[in-house]
């Protein structure tokens, strides 16, 4: 892993794949609870607006996994819960400087929350052909009619993310 100088500190550079592996670890936690195995991580990297240089090393400020069944909460999606944790951690609703990593392409609700929270970026694993709102069915992140747009990167560790979901649903069908 390469290093980067931030201030007086040399820190290893984490990649999108490294953070997606953290989100996958959260997805496995969901699976242990018999929840749909989707995980999310929020990484905060404050940037100086004038110079666009990092003010501090990136840090994971929130981790979550699906909890809809456990909490009987329709908003219990991994990325929704992670964004709420991130806002609480930073003490603000505006999540500028944050990248959301999630194992499955966000739905309309979660993409809308990312828009409302003003995230800087979203990185997701597997595309979602049934509900994907960051490029598959809808493109909430790039809709210029809205007052905030943000870039996305899809397909990061897509096979691992999709395989976990496929095996979960295959095991559900066998139990019936």
């Amino acid at each position: 892993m390469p290093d980067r100088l931030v201030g007086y500190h040399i820190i290893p550079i984490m990649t999108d794949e490294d953070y997606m592996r953290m989100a996958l670890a959260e997805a496995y936690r969901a699976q242990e609870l018999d929840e749909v195995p989707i995980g999310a991580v929020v990484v905060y990297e404050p940037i100086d607006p004038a110079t666009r240089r990092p003010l501090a090393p990136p840090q994971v400020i929130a981790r979550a996994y699906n909890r809809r069944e456990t909490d009987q909460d329709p908003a219990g999606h991994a990325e929704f819960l992670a964004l709420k944790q991130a806002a609480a951690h930073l003490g603000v609703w505006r999540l500028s400087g944050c990248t959301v990593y999630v194992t499955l392409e966000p739905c309309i609700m979660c993409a809308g929350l990312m828009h409302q929270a003003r995230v800087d970026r979203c990185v997701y694993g597997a595309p979602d052909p049934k509900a994907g709102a960051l490029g598959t069915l809808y493109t909430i992140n790039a809709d210029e009619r809205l007052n905030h747009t943000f870039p996305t990167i899809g397909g990061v560790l897509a096979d691992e993310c999709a395989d976990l979901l496929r095996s979960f649903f295959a095991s559900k069908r066998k139990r019936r």
Side-chain angles (χ1 to χ4, degrees), residues 89-112:
H89 177 86
L90 295 175
V92 295
W93 65 265
R94 186 181 299 264
L95 298 179
S96 301
C98 290
T99 297
V100 180
Y101 292 86
V102 61
T103 57
L104 182 66
E105 180 183 1
C107 68
I108 295 169
M109 174 182 71
C110 294

Side-chain angles (χ1 to χ4, degrees), residues 35-75:
E35 292 277 358
V36 175
I38 299 169
V41 169
V42 179
V43 176
Y44 177 59
E45 182 176 18
I47 303 288
D48 182 317
T51 65
R52 301 299 303 155
R53 291 196 174 131
L55 295 171
Q59 62 177 331
V60 174
I61 60 169
R63 298 170 187 254
Y65 51 88
N66 267 14
R67 294 185 53 90
R68 287 196 320 174
E69 301 299 329
T70 301
D71 296 344
Q72 294 298 295
D73 181 1

Side-chain angles (χ1 to χ4, degrees), residues 26-31 33-39 65-69 76 78 103-104 164-165 168-169 172:
E26 294 299 313
Y28 280 104
R29 292 181 68 196
Q31 185 178 37
L33 294 175
D34 204 30
E35 292 277 358
V36 175
I38 299 169
Y65 51 88
N66 267 14
R67 294 185 53 90
R68 287 196 320 174
E69 301 299 329
T103 57
L104 182 66
L164 177 58
L165 286 161
F168 174 80
F169 286 112
K172 284 286 207 193

